[in-house]
Amino acid sequence: MSESISFIVHLPGKPEVRDELYTSLIKVLDAMSHEPDFINTYLHRSAEDPDTLVLYETWACSAQYFQEHHLKKDYRVDYEAKLKKLLKSERRFEWLEPVRGYESRTPRP
């Protein structure tokens, strides 16, 4: 099995720039979805804090490679520069270790 990583990113946005954070993030997600190492991402909004966006991502690479390679991609430069003014506190990466997976066995209509 090839190496892969999964992680959660918490982006606690400032209320006055909620739409700008969302728009900036969507541009990055669209661009990164074309990367050969990209597997998936799921974007959520926190039910407890509507200004906080939460991402779940899976990549076919190591955490070190992701940090050294993907976080420095050209399409992220503008986004990374904007983050300080868009976030009310530091973003937080939560690195995950796979334990076990389940998928629905119930057919969807």
Side-chain angles (χ1 to χ4, degrees):
M1 183 168 135
S2 64
E3 185 172 21
S4 69
I5 55 161
S6 295
F7 54 90
I8 298 170
V9 183
H10 300 265
L11 298 158
K14 294 177 181 175
E16 65 273 18
V17 292
R18 179 191 293 180
D19 292 339
E20 186 178 356
L21 174 60
Y22 177 81
T23 301
S24 296
L25 182 58
I26 291 300
K27 288 178 186 175
V28 170
L29 298 181
D30 287 344
M32 76 184 200
S33 69
H34 299 285
E35 294 289 342
D37 296 327
F38 176 80
I39 296 175
N40 62 37
T41 191
Y42 300 94
L43 175 59
H44 302 270
R45 186 175 302 281
S46 170
E48 296 169 6
D49 178 3
D51 297 318
T52 295
L53 296 175
V54 181
L55 289 165
Y56 172 86
E57 295 184 34
T58 306
W59 290 79
C61 61
S62 69
Q64 180 178 350
Y65 182 83
F66 177 83
Q67 291 172 311
E68 292 173 357
H69 182 73
H70 290 291
L71 288 181
K72 296 176 181 174
K73 290 285 191 170
D74 288 343
Y75 60 82
R76 290 184 180 265
V77 172
D78 182 49
Y79 171 75
E80 293 292 329
K82 285 182 182 180
L83 275 184
K84 190 169 186 168
K85 77 171 191 166
L86 299 176
L87 299 181
K88 59 186 168 192
S89 60
E90 292 281 324
R91 73 179 156 186
R92 182 171 57 91
F93 281 82
E94 183 178 343
W95 299 97
L96 305 172
E97 294 181 13
V99 176
R100 188 170 182 160
Y102 291 89
E103 292 186 24
S104 176
R105 294 183 183 171
T106 306
R108 301 282 181 225

